[in-house]
Amino acid sequence: MAAYHFDSKLAQQIVARTMQIIDSNVNVMDARGKIIGSGDEQRLGELHEGALLCISQERVVDIDEGVARHLHGVRPGINLPMRIDGQIVGVIGLTGNPTQLRQYGELVCMTAEMMLEQARLLHMLAQDSRLREELVLNLIRMDELSPALMEWAQRLGIDIHKPRVVAVVEVDSGQLGVDSAMAELQQLQQLLTTPERDNLIAIVSLTEMVVLKPALNSYDRWDPESPRQRVEHLMSRMTENGRLRIRISLGNFFTGPGSIARSYRTAKTTMAVGKQRMPDKRSYFYQDLILPVLLDSLRGGWQADELVRPLARLKATDTNGLLRRTLAAWFTHNVQPTATSKALYIHRNTLEYRLNRISELTGLDLGNFDDRLLLYVALQLDEEH
């Protein structure tokens, strides 16, 4: 794994760092003896025979003027093997008098090895992060947990059976360029993991992030208010610290097989419904939008066409939307005439006239519960509502 990280970019970083320490040209060779980093760019890509000796004999190799004349592509200096976990992964060569270079050659080699080790650890952390993200993406898409997925989670130290609820974070599109947007998303990802909350997070796209939040409170119960408070707290932190404008939707909590995938679907639909119905808000919760979220799956189907048919007849005549607004207010105030009249600043007789007119245009009896329900559902499905 260490050799995998030892690419030309890292090699050149080692050259730049070590040449700040010593007044000598530095070459960095890979495990095959090829120069992949050098203070002399013309030497890049050459095969370094001194490095090959160093690798094959597994020792420091001094090369003086006499030896250099018999080797191809080699100048006087000292070549030191770089090891990670006891394995030679490359060679660092210092050009100059080997006797003078030996006194600080080991120090330079140690510095290079530390840089290699640091790069390896960073790679391992990044790889772990990518694997965790891929696991999250699989969890939100799969209705059943395969044995392979459970083994994957176990290797990452993730309790796949821990009850979780899904939140979707959406970035307003078009705010930033690709690089800036990804940097902002990664900063947001850091914000969501600090302090440690056991959130599982994946960046789905440049405009969407998904968060799998632990669902149960300290009493091992699902309390929708707790994640709601956390979402609102995050929104206030983003307002204070971030340039990025985001929206957050929290889905429903489920248990059993496919619970995370179902929670994700409710969070996605809650986001879509929330943006359509409350575009000025930045956070949406399934518990506040249960009926319109559940009805959303009907859109585009024949059932929805049938449900909105009475409302369509009303809309054909109610061009300024007055009757629909009256109907919506009536339902909002639990079909109570007094409360509705006050909210609309109209007389009760005016309200009664409008409701009678609605009945006439829709062909539905507002005194009948089923007819009321049909109109209420139609309003929920209405794109302009």
Side-chain angles (χ1 to χ4, degrees):
M1 185 176 290
Y4 173 80
H5 294 291
F6 199 18
D7 56 16
S8 58
K9 183 178 179 180
L10 177 58
Q12 204 59 45
Q13 290 174 355
I14 291 174
V15 169
R17 176 76 62 84
T18 52
M19 287 186 69
Q20 291 176 352
I21 300 173
I22 62 171
D23 184 21
S24 173
N25 183 57
V26 175
N27 296 315
V28 172
M29 284 68 71
D30 63 16
R32 294 171 296 180
K34 186 175 75 171
I35 299 176
I36 58 174
S38 177
D40 181 358
E41 294 185 2
Q42 293 183 348
R43 301 199 64 187
L44 292 174
E46 291 182 2
L47 193 65
H48 196 287
E49 292 189 9
L52 292 174
L53 281 173
C54 182
I55 294 167
S56 63
Q57 298 179 12
E58 298 186 2
R59 65 176 180 85
V60 177
V61 173
D62 293 342
I63 298 176
D64 57 20
E65 291 282 355
V67 174
R69 283 194 293 269
H70 296 87
L71 296 176
H72 175 70
V74 176
R75 296 173 185 173
I78 184 172
N79 297 279
L80 304 98
M82 293 184 290
R83 292 181 170 87
I84 296 294
D85 293 336
Q87 179 184 359
I88 295 178
V89 296
V91 175
I92 186 164
L94 313 180
T95 304
N97 187 320
T99 303
Q100 296 175 349
L101 293 172
R102 178 172 282 274
Q103 56 182 331
Y104 44 80
E106 293 290 343
L107 177 62
V108 171
C109 185
M110 186 184 302
T111 301
E113 288 176 344
M114 288 174 62
M115 292 180 68
L116 279 173
E117 182 64 27
Q118 183 183 38
R120 185 178 73 152
L121 290 174
L122 288 173
H123 175 78
M124 290 173 64
L125 288 172
Q127 186 179 51
D128 181 75
S129 178
R130 286 195 298 272
L131 289 173
R132 291 171 74 90
E133 283 199 89
E134 284 297 321
L135 176 66
V136 170
L137 294 176
N138 275 274
L139 288 174
I140 64 175
R141 293 166 183 161
M142 298 177 64
D143 289 321
E144 292 186 13
L145 299 179
S146 65
L149 197 65
M150 289 189 283
E151 182 181 354
W152 184 355
Q154 187 176 14
R155 289 186 178 182
L156 290 171
I158 295 172
D159 182 1
I160 205 169
H161 299 293
K162 186 171 187 174
R164 294 181 182 274
V165 64
V166 177
V168 168
V169 181
E170 190 176 280
V171 178
D172 285 358
S173 58
Q175 292 184 77
L176 302 165
V178 173
D179 293 340
S180 298
M182 182 56 71
E184 290 279 357
L185 279 173
Q186 290 170 344
Q187 189 176 39
L188 176 59
Q189 189 174 22
Q190 182 67 28
L191 191 63
L192 287 164
T193 52
T194 308
E196 177 59 46
R197 290 201 178 99
D198 197 19
N199 289 333
L200 298 178
I201 303 171
I203 296 175
V204 180
S205 68
L206 286 176
T207 58
E208 182 184 333
M209 178 184 291
V210 63
V211 185
L212 277 53
K213 303 174 66 63
L216 305 185
N217 60 20
S218 57
Y219 301 101
D220 286 333
R221 291 198 297 265
W222 161 243
D223 175 16
E225 286 305 309
S226 179
R228 181 191 293 265
Q229 291 170 5
R230 288 186 177 178
V231 166
E232 298 294 2
H233 179 61
L234 174 65
M235 294 300 290
S236 64
R237 290 173 70 190
M238 284 298 296
T239 302
E240 293 172 3
N241 304 322
R243 293 184 291 117
L244 212 57
R245 284 176 60 79
I246 65 170
R247 298 176 190 268
I248 299 180
S249 65
L250 187 71
N252 195 21
F253 170 61
F254 298 93
T255 58
S259 58
I260 290 178
R262 281 188 288 165
S263 184
Y264 173 67
R265 287 194 285 269
T266 60
K268 283 284 287 183
T269 308
T270 298
M271 176 69 78
V273 171
K275 287 166 62 178
Q276 189 262 322
R277 295 170 67 92
M278 299 174 287
D280 295 333
K281 285 197 171 185
R282 313 299 297 183
S283 55
Y284 313 109
F285 303 90
Y286 172 80
Q287 300 298 326
D288 299 338
L289 298 163
I290 293 176
L291 184 59
V293 167
L294 294 178
L295 291 173
D296 190 74
S297 62
L298 295 176
R299 294 186 188 278
W302 67 268
Q303 297 97 329
D305 292 340
E306 288 299 306
L307 286 169
V308 301
R309 192 183 302 278
L311 191 63
R313 290 197 293 266
L314 176 63
K315 291 171 73 171
T317 302
D318 183 33
T319 54
N320 62 1
L322 176 65
L323 295 179
R324 276 169 290 156
R325 289 194 296 274
T326 301
L327 184 62
W330 188 55
F331 282 130
T332 298
H333 293 87
N334 299 313
V335 302
Q336 296 297 316
T338 302
T340 307
S341 299
K342 286 183 178 179
L344 294 173
Y345 301 101
I346 60 176
H347 194 274
R348 281 190 59 169
N349 291 341
T350 303
L351 174 64
E352 186 176 351
Y353 168 79
R354 292 182 185 177
L355 292 176
N356 288 334
R357 182 64 175 152
I358 290 170
S359 291
E360 180 185 336
L361 292 171
T362 61
L364 297 174
D365 179 5
L366 294 185
N368 180 277
F369 179 80
D370 283 355
D371 284 2
R372 283 184 184 178
L373 181 60
L374 279 172
L375 266 182
Y376 182 73
V377 170
L379 274 178
Q380 301 305 312
L381 289 169
D382 184 23
E383 294 288 349
E384 298 176 12
H385 176 57

